[in-house]
Amino acid sequence: MKDARPLVRLLADPASAVQVKDWTSLIALARAESLSGSLAWRLRGLDLPPRVEAMLEAARRDGEAARVQALWEAEMARRALAPLGVPVILLKGTAYAAAGLEAGRGRSIGDLDILVPRLALPDVERALLAAGWEWVKEDAYDDQYYRRWMHELPPLIHRERDRMIDVHHAILPLTARPKPDMEAMIEDRSPLADGLFTLSPPDMIVHSAAHLFADGDLAGGLRNLWDIDRLLREFAERDSGFWPALRERAARHGLGSAVGRAIRLAHHLYGTPINRCQAPISKPLNSKERSRSKIGARHQLTAGWSGSKAPDIFFERRLLARDGWGRTTRPATRLGFYVRSHWLRMPPAMLARHLWVKARRKG
Amino acid sequence: MRHDFRLQVGPVSFRIGSQWRQPVAALRRLYAGYPEPEGVCDFTVRLEAERFWRRWLRPSVAIRGDYVLPDAAPLPLAQGLLAAEMGMNLQMALGQKRFLLLHAASVERDGRGLLLTGHSGAGKSTLGALLGERGWRFMGDEFALLGLEDGLLHPFPRAVSLKNESLGLLGGIDPGRLGPVLTGTPKGRIRHLRPNAEAVARMGEPARPALILFPRFGRDLDPAVREVGAAEAFMRLTQASTNYVALGESGFGALTRFVGTLPSKAIDYADTAQAEALIDGLWAEA
Amino acid sequence: MAASLYAADPPETIRTAEVEGLTLLYHRKSGLTHFLAPPAPQILAALAGGPASASEIASRIAKTFDIESEDPAAAIGARLAELEAAGLVWRT
Amino acid sequence: MTDKSDGIDEESGALPSRRVVLALGAAAASTVVTIRPALAQTAGSVLNCEIPVPAPQAGAGQFIAADGTLVPAGTAGAYPPLARPLKGEEVRAMLNSGRAPAGVDSQAAQAYANYIRRLQAGMSGFTCYASLQMPR
């Protein structure tokens, strides 16, 4: 396997599992992209070779353990923060699992990410420190850098449970060009049964897309794009007004371009259906047509969600840059996206200063 | 990858890829006679250069694969075989979720299994290998696999890594079963030993566990046996397991059943003859 | 200030095994295994009857056991702090 | 779930029916121990590890004070960062018997050992340190 396309194809079309010849490579790929649990759920109930089925069963069990652990960490944070009376909004994987969304099925979940109002940060920080969380880093520059420019506190780790928490007050670094309306995002939160919250459905997509295209270097991007595919399908199914709401929210947060790119790529790679009123598309393409379709054609298909400069094909090349041994490939593309991620986060002068401090410390 | 090798050990299969020929050639020799996995492999191990020029210049082997740990340092190419072995162990320690994984040696007699567990230096590898040459069936020296549903011990007879002095204790080993001498490894001067033909031929046969021993080796120790209560055995086995916590309730069920039904003893010994005598005595009672 | 009320997960969400006078407890909600010595298991059992303060817990336990302590509420309070840190009880 | 053949009685928090004495213990005693994930025993088999002093993400270039905390470069009485990461075996010897690694003086080694003792999960070297903490 030269790239991750076979994994993408199988996620989009589980019935094609009967044609898979090289399960070893496929599973190595899925593990490297943190998609083995999602894949295992996607392939559940199919008639597969017994050894493959046993591995998928283990992956499902592992995903279940990850879900329990993530929800427990959220519950412990809830207990620590409950006396403050501030809204605590779960983000990313923990949010999907807590809300029982399809995107949370088998998903690997790392740190606990929460969002709180910026004004509540000092109290939240104090309460977490009192409940057994500790700073991971000791470095004064990093600390100052985080507090001044970042959208989160420096990472904290719980001394007994060894789990990290990222406390966000915004979804993008303060230095990034888009300025999401955090007040509106917090205001529109959706309640969970236990007193915690998630973002509203449109804002969940906006956050995921922002994280993928306006912040990081696309590492682990296939998994994030899979989240977006699952979320779009589920929300659109549930609520006929979802697509217009998403368009409105994306524009409001200044993230229309990131959301548009996420939708186009999810459609192209995972066959995510796009609403007709939003995009003049009559039927999802079959996989052959999809792989033949050219960038221009795709832009046309998903018109209304276009409007960014770099062609999607570069993003696609980056997302698929992994082989059947689980190795990363296309180093030049990766480097390009790494540089881009820094560029997006900071104005040039600040980037230069940041890299200078980092470089001096290495010397 | 340029060179690769597939290996079936008990119920677990590996695919090992390498940028260099030597580690794979050494694996092929060491595991001669092992079955080839049918179909999918459970784990992928990659032996590759840390930086691309390090493939030729002072080549050093980074241990990578499906599961990786931070802080891992590469090994020199001359220790490529050890890197492959560590790579397989790493995948088991972090990725094995079908069995409760215990850091223990295991041997079998009359369908009943004996488990030897303890910290490195307690001598479980040496004792396991020794018993495997003295009428017991060798089931593994590094990891014992406890079935989550069936409660059986499943064999995992990988090559045993032995220090030179331990090798002397075994006596009369067919040199064809030995790997190359590896010097200057993190474990000192070591050599790998392929388990005997019976251990390989019967790698598909599990055993009903019958006795847990916690050996302790010390040149000044008097031979001694001490009862280990179920509570202590439970605690010690959770610390000897890399996946107990990850397995959740199925791990709890398997381990409480295990320590609840089996006798556990701690034994002290100063040489292997003492250990053998103690084990024979305890086995007769178990 | 009123005394804190403590709550625990219902008994069907935990699985226990008695070993040599100690209790091994698997807590389904967290996926964690805890080793408990008396009186921790008795405190959890007492909370099965609903949330209670430390002194209320002491009197519930006293219905079944002869308590041996100079200051039961303080001793129970210390045990509750441990159980709270482990996530087995929380304040309501 | 009760299965006497297990040898361990499984029950769900039921109280014993007979009246027994229950000692509540001293306030400082500990009655709850949580089983934590373990890797230490197997670490020698899975990992050839090393510890950078200090970890790059904790503040490369900073000096290490005698108590192991990081201080600005050039602080009097503190020691410069190590040019090379320490091997697992060197760390084990240093922590257990105070033996300084080659080329390191014994007071500096003390500071480095203290730094390593303060490592936390998430920092370079932590997995290695955790794996070296063998009981006994």
Side-chain angles (χ1 to χ4, degrees):
Chain A
M1 278 171 205
K2 299 191 309 295
D3 67 14
R5 200 173 289 279
L7 171 64
V8 166
R9 206 172 291 143
L10 192 54
L11 281 165
D13 178 18
S16 67
V18 288
Q19 293 149 23
V20 171
K21 297 274 186 308
D22 185 0
W23 280 105
T24 307
S25 295
L26 202 75
I27 287 175
L29 247 178
R31 284 178 177 157
E33 290 290 341
S34 305
L35 275 165
S36 54
S38 308
L39 182 69
W41 275 103
R42 194 78 176 122
L43 300 182
R44 196 158 80 133
L46 293 171
D47 189 19
L48 299 172
R51 291 192 59 106
V52 173
E53 182 46 36
M55 289 172 72
L56 296 176
E57 180 58 37
R60 283 189 288 265
R61 187 160 46 208
D62 215 20
E64 177 55 21
R67 192 184 69 87
V68 167
Q69 199 182 27
L71 293 182
W72 179 244
E73 208 50 31
E75 167 65 11
M76 291 310 266
R78 186 195 67 76
R79 290 181 192 177
L81 299 177
L84 301 181
V86 301
V88 176
I89 301 171
L90 301 177
L91 300 175
K92 304 184 196 172
T94 312
Y96 310 152
L101 294 169
E102 174 77 18
R105 276 223 166 165
R107 190 188 190 277
S108 66
I109 305 174
D111 305 343
L112 171 62
D113 293 280
I114 62 170
L115 173 72
V116 297
R118 194 172 188 188
L119 287 176
L121 272 187
D123 288 338
V124 167
E125 185 178 336
R126 248 191 313 276
L128 292 176
L129 290 172
W133 276 270
E134 297 172 342
W135 300 116
V136 174
K137 308 187 185 199
E138 294 189 22
D139 183 299
Y141 172 75
D142 267 343
D143 192 60
Q144 191 202 359
Y145 169 76
Y146 261 95
R147 286 171 195 273
R148 236 176 114 191
W149 303 114
M150 291 302 281
H151 49 313
E152 59 197 9
L153 289 176
L156 288 152
I157 189 159
H158 195 274
R159 63 167 168 258
E160 295 298 324
R161 297 189 303 278
D162 270 351
R163 299 276 294 184
M164 302 248 241
I165 186 170
D166 283 330
V167 181
H168 304 245
H169 58 84
I171 60 164
L172 282 177
L174 305 181
T175 51
R177 267 142 287 213
K179 308 284 179 216
D181 182 345
M182 292 315 299
E183 256 177 57
M185 215 175 249
I186 290 172
E187 180 66 34
D188 270 19
R189 63 192 186 266
S190 311
L192 291 163
D194 57 5
L196 291 167
F197 297 88
T198 66
L199 293 174
S200 71
D203 283 346
M204 262 194 218
I205 302 279
V206 171
H207 178 220
S208 189
H211 184 59
L212 186 53
F213 295 115
D215 189 6
D217 64 356
L218 270 78
L222 276 186
R223 202 269 311 271
N224 286 346
L225 200 63
W226 178 247
D227 289 342
I228 289 171
D229 168 77
R230 295 290 99 182
L231 294 173
L232 284 173
R233 286 172 193 261
E234 193 165 355
F235 294 152
E237 176 100 339
R238 235 194 251 169
D239 172 11
S240 59
F242 173 73
W243 283 101
L246 176 57
R247 174 182 294 274
E248 187 272 317
R249 295 303 279 190
R252 171 162 196 173
H253 295 305
L255 283 159
S257 135
V259 170
R261 192 182 300 281
I263 293 172
R264 290 195 308 275
L265 283 166
H267 170 70
H268 184 62
L269 289 173
Y270 294 125
T272 319
I274 295 178
N275 180 287
R276 275 173 213 228
C277 310
Q278 296 305 311
I281 179 171
S282 52
K283 66 178 173 71
L285 299 179
N286 67 36
S287 61
K288 225 183 214 158
E289 283 168 328
R290 269 208 307 278
S291 61
R292 268 206 308 256
S293 74
K294 295 286 178 289
I295 309 151
R298 228 178 301 138
H299 266 280
Q300 202 184 357
L301 282 170
T302 57
W305 287 110
S306 62
S308 65
K309 287 154 264 163
D312 289 346
I313 190 76
F314 292 133
F315 288 84
E316 191 179 311
R317 273 183 61 78
R318 170 63 186 86
L319 288 170
L320 296 176
R322 196 180 290 280
D323 72 7
W325 282 89
R327 285 181 299 185
T328 57
T329 57
R330 300 173 185 157
T333 305
R334 281 176 184 273
L335 177 67
F337 275 94
Y338 178 75
V339 171
R340 173 182 175 272
S341 75
H342 274 81
W343 183 255
L344 290 172
R345 281 172 158 229
M346 299 177 208
M350 191 176 159
L351 175 59
R353 183 180 121 75
H354 177 68
L355 294 177
W356 168 244
V357 172
K358 290 264 177 196
R360 263 199 341 181
R361 289 191 337 194
K362 292 232 169 70
Chain B
M1 293 190 82
R2 192 169 292 242
H3 308 276
D4 71 322
F5 178 59
R6 286 163 190 250
L7 177 65
Q8 181 80 42
V9 187
V12 187
S13 50
F14 298 92
R15 171 178 70 155
I16 299 135
S18 169
Q19 284 184 335
W20 303 271
R21 188 187 52 81
Q22 298 92 316
V24 161
L27 280 172
R28 273 187 215 290
R29 270 194 302 276
L30 184 59
Y31 286 102
Y34 274 62
E36 174 114 358
E38 287 171 30
V40 65
C41 292
D42 292 277
F43 299 111
T44 293
V45 175
R46 302 193 315 261
L47 305 178
E48 58 195 22
E50 187 123 283
R51 301 264 180 278
F52 80 95
W53 64 85
R54 294 298 289 271
R55 196 167 139 199
W56 302 279
L57 190 69
R58 283 186 292 123
S60 64
V61 184
I63 303 167
R64 307 229 168 92
D66 289 341
Y67 300 92
V68 287
L69 271 182
D71 308 337
L75 290 167
L77 181 55
Q79 295 171 20
L81 178 61
L82 180 63
E85 290 283 311
M86 280 185 163
M88 287 189 271
N89 287 339
L90 183 63
Q91 302 314 309
M92 289 294 281
L94 300 180
Q96 179 54 258
K97 301 291 159 67
R98 282 161 54 204
F99 302 91
L100 183 69
L101 192 71
L102 298 168
H103 188 231
S106 52
V107 292
E108 175 260 7
R109 203 179 237 179
D110 307 323
R112 300 163 73 227
L114 163 65
L115 202 80
L116 299 153
T117 182
H119 297 290
S120 46
K124 59 180 180 42
S125 262
T126 308
L127 288 178
L130 185 79
L131 294 172
E133 302 299 317
R134 310 268 167 96
W136 298 71
R137 171 171 60 118
F138 175 81
M139 294 178 73
D141 81 309
E142 184 80 49
F143 293 126
L145 308 177
L146 183 66
L148 294 173
E149 272 94 43
D150 61 17
L152 297 178
L153 276 179
H154 293 258
F156 188 59
R158 287 261 305 286
V160 188
S161 96
L162 291 168
K163 297 210 166 77
N164 245 20
E165 52 272 26
S166 306
L167 208 50
L169 294 170
L170 300 182
I173 293 286
D174 168 11
R177 288 172 55 198
L178 292 172
V181 177
L182 302 176
T183 51
T185 78
K187 296 169 163 184
R189 189 182 155 90
I190 59 162
R191 219 167 167 184
H192 289 94
L193 168 71
R194 183 196 315 138
N196 61 24
E198 190 197 8
V200 177
R202 296 175 62 195
M203 65 162 67
E205 274 178 49
R208 175 142 315 273
L211 176 63
I212 309 170
L213 292 181
F214 296 91
R216 189 164 65 137
F217 168 77
R219 291 187 205 291
D220 315 323
L221 291 176
D222 291 324
V225 176
R226 178 174 67 83
E227 288 287 331
V228 175
E232 185 187 343
F234 186 92
M235 278 307 253
R236 290 177 73 159
L237 290 172
T238 60
Q239 295 314 293
S241 171
T242 54
N243 66 358
Y244 170 75
V245 174
L247 289 174
E249 190 165 355
S250 51
F252 181 85
L255 197 57
T256 47
R257 194 163 4 120
F258 192 60
V259 301
T261 45
L262 290 193
S264 318
K265 322 263 184 198
I267 59 172
D268 289 353
Y269 68 100
D271 61 54
T272 46
Q274 278 175 10
E276 264 193 280
L278 289 172
I279 291 170
D280 281 344
L282 293 170
W283 186 251
E285 296 163 20
Chain C
M1 197 178 103
S4 298
L5 282 185
Y6 290 85
D9 291 302
E12 62 272 19
T13 64
I14 59 176
R15 178 166 161 190
T16 60
E18 302 301 318
V19 205
E20 304 176 287
L22 299 171
T23 301
L24 277 169
L25 181 149
Y26 181 78
H27 183 224
R28 291 198 177 95
K29 206 166 165 188
S30 62
L32 292 172
T33 302
H34 305 278
F35 229 128
L36 305 184
Q42 289 76 16
I43 292 174
L44 292 180
L47 286 173
S53 65
S55 54
E56 165 67 13
I57 291 169
S59 55
R60 284 186 196 173
I61 292 177
K63 288 185 188 134
T64 326
F65 297 94
D66 289 327
I67 288 183
E68 195 174 81
S69 174
E70 286 179 7
D71 185 351
I76 296 229
R79 301 289 81 82
L80 282 167
E82 282 186 89
L83 289 165
E84 187 180 17
L88 291 171
V89 306
W90 64 94
R91 281 175 240 210
T92 60
Chain D
M1 179 179 150
T2 301
D3 185 353
K4 295 285 177 187
S5 69
D6 279 2
I8 291 183
D9 299 334
E10 290 214 28
E11 52 182 78
S12 282
L15 291 170
S17 52
R18 63 187 186 282
R19 264 191 99 72
V20 288
V21 176
L22 183 68
L24 295 186
S30 183
T31 58
V32 182
V33 176
T34 303
I35 309 286
R36 297 178 59 161
L39 196 59
Q41 282 191 24
T42 37
S45 319
V46 303
L47 185 71
N48 174 36
C49 70
E50 48 187 39
I51 301 182
V53 180
Q57 74 266 46
Q62 298 199 64
F63 277 31
I64 295 101
D67 66 353
T69 52
L70 297 180
V71 291
T75 303
Y79 302 91
L82 278 172
R84 62 173 180 93
L86 292 174
K87 296 265 177 236
E89 284 309 307
E90 292 176 311
V91 174
R92 192 198 303 268
M94 198 163 84
L95 295 176
N96 292 350
S97 57
R99 187 167 1 117
V104 175
D105 85 62
S106 63
Q107 287 195 327
Q110 265 306 314
Y112 298 146
N114 286 334
Y115 165 80
I116 290 168
R117 289 192 184 99
R118 297 165 59 98
L119 278 177
Q120 289 171 309
M123 287 165 71
S124 292
F126 175 78
T127 320
C128 188
Y129 169 55
S131 74
L132 295 168
Q133 288 176 295
M134 305 285 183
R136 270 184 296 158

